[in-house]
Amino acid sequence: MVHVLSSRTLLRPTDPERSRAFYGERLGLPVYREFGTGPERGTVYFLGGGFLEVSGRSDIPASPAVGLWLQVPDMAAAHEELLARDVDIVRSPVREPWGLIEMWIADPDGTRIVLVEIPSDHPLRYRPGI
């Protein structure tokens, strides 16, 4: 078995500066580390228990099969903050039939980002009798 010490999701944006502005300024993700120089330099952001690396450049946007799932503690607060930062909300927060509260946004290349709040009574947080 492979022993994984750390992991990160890699994004190769079509416009690295625009993507860094989106993830760092508009989403407000904290920077873990930066490397290299110039417009295609790398920036690694904290994503809760993981990392997101934005580096290099691609001629085409990421596949629509790729997305990010980000859990937030308070969806109403996240929604207000993103609106204040002029982030395009693809779909406003909705309580899904499976009980999670989800809001959808997209990065400048169209990468889908699902923000999720897990309510305190949801089985992902609490399972009675266990």
Side-chain angles (χ1 to χ4, degrees), residues 27-46:
L27 286 190
L29 297 179
V31 173
Y32 169 68
R33 71 179 292 254
E34 296 178 290
F35 57 91
T37 60
E40 296 177 19
R41 68 189 181 281
T43 304
V44 181
Y45 299 95
F46 283 105

Side-chain angles (χ1 to χ4, degrees), residues 88-111:
D88 184 33
I89 308 296
V90 174
R91 191 188 79 176
S92 293
V94 172
R95 187 174 192 124
E96 300 290 357
W98 47 89
L100 300 178
I101 301 167
E102 295 186 4
M103 175 173 58
W104 302 346
I105 63 175
D107 81 358
D109 282 330
T111 299

